[in-house]
Amino acid sequence: MTSAIFALIGVGILVVGVLAFRMRWRVGEIASAVAVICLGLAYDNFAVAVGRFVGYGDALMAINVPRYWIHAFFVPLLIPIAGVLVYRLGVKQIGTRNVVIPGLLLVAMLEVIGIITDIVRLDLEPENAGDALRYVNAGASGPPIASVVTVLALIVLGGMAARYSYFKWLLVGALAMLFAAAAGTAVLWLGNLGELILMITLLATMAKVADREADLRLEAAATEGNR
């Protein structure tokens, strides 16, 4: 049952990625970035889902290694992606130098932490999760700092979007990710379900950006036509 849930979550994230990729013509290449992250997160779920069929050994270990590379490199990138989308929603406060530079430094720091934790110190050991077989990183100690800080940053960005542009769904997705990650310590797949919800709300944010910018173009065209 656990393997099936991971597979379904993987399919859901993959669908979100396809929908995001198809929005390139509306919001630009940021849609491609979201699609690539969705692809990585979908792989993470599928890697756990196939564990029971592959069994422990070199093959499953090789399948699991990219999961940690994906989280190390991709997860912190959600911060600048969300930041750009929130800026394009009209929240110009986050476009100042005093926000952008510390934000980029934070992302760089999280990337370094992720590389050290999930790549340099990667030490895989087998773990059963229901009927799902996977390898976990025994070299990681304590909470996943990069992931936690990323989610907290997304909550801040989502809160700014809710306050200044009256768009609440990014905040809802980030909060759902926070609570799902906490619950995931007891029920493993809940954390991955939180990722699916977060990516859906990022997709919704892109759709809102597309609609807003289309309206602005229409207003600009109407103003120009009245001159």
Side-chain angles (χ1 to χ4, degrees):
M1 184 63 178
T2 303
S3 295
I5 293 174
F6 274 101
L8 288 173
I9 293 173
V11 170
I13 295 178
L14 199 58
V15 170
V16 173
V18 171
L19 294 175
F21 189 71
R22 294 179 63 181
M23 291 186 67
R24 294 184 335 279
W25 65 276
R26 299 184 67 194
V27 297
E29 288 307 316
I30 196 167
S32 299
V34 173
V36 169
I37 291 177
C38 284
L39 184 62
L41 295 178
Y43 177 92
D44 177 53
N45 284 275
F46 292 140
V48 178
V50 302
R52 61 177 297 192
F53 304 105
V54 178
Y56 291 126
D58 291 342
L60 186 58
M61 186 176 292
I63 291 172
N64 274 250
V65 167
R67 294 177 52 228
Y68 296 95
W69 286 68
I70 288 167
H71 279 88
F73 287 110
F74 284 2
V75 169
L77 295 180
L78 290 172
I79 296 176
I81 288 173
V84 169
L85 291 174
V86 171
Y87 179 81
R88 291 170 65 177
L89 282 175
V91 185
K92 301 304 182 183
Q93 294 90 333
I94 66 173
T96 64
R97 179 180 299 179
N98 290 336
V99 175
V100 173
I101 294 177
L104 293 177
L105 291 175
L106 174 63
V107 173
M109 180 187 72
L110 295 179
E111 290 280 353
V112 171
I113 292 174
I115 290 170
I116 293 173
T117 302
D118 290 328
I119 298 178
V120 176
R121 296 179 180 173
L122 185 61
D123 179 19
L124 295 180
E125 66 176 22
E127 178 187 81
N128 289 350
D131 66 346
L133 309 182
R134 65 173 186 159
Y135 281 89
V136 297
N137 183 12
S141 59
I145 295 175
S147 297
V148 172
V149 174
T150 295
V151 173
L152 293 177
L154 293 177
I155 289 173
V156 172
L157 291 170
M160 294 181 72
R163 178 178 179 182
Y164 296 110
S165 65
Y166 307 104
F167 180 79
K168 64 182 180 181
W169 290 111
L170 180 60
L171 176 61
V172 170
L175 288 172
M177 181 69 250
L178 180 66
F179 291 121
T185 59
V187 181
L188 180 63
W189 55 265
L190 284 176
N192 295 62
L193 180 61
E195 292 176 350
L196 172 58
I197 295 172
L198 176 61
M199 299 315 292
I200 289 173
T201 58
L202 269 179
L203 182 67
T205 306
M206 285 197 297
K208 181 66 175 180
V209 167
D211 290 342
R212 178 180 183 273
E213 292 179 346
D215 290 341
L216 291 175
R217 286 192 294 270
L218 288 175
E219 291 176 6
T223 301
E224 186 68 23
N226 291 330
R227 289 180 180 177

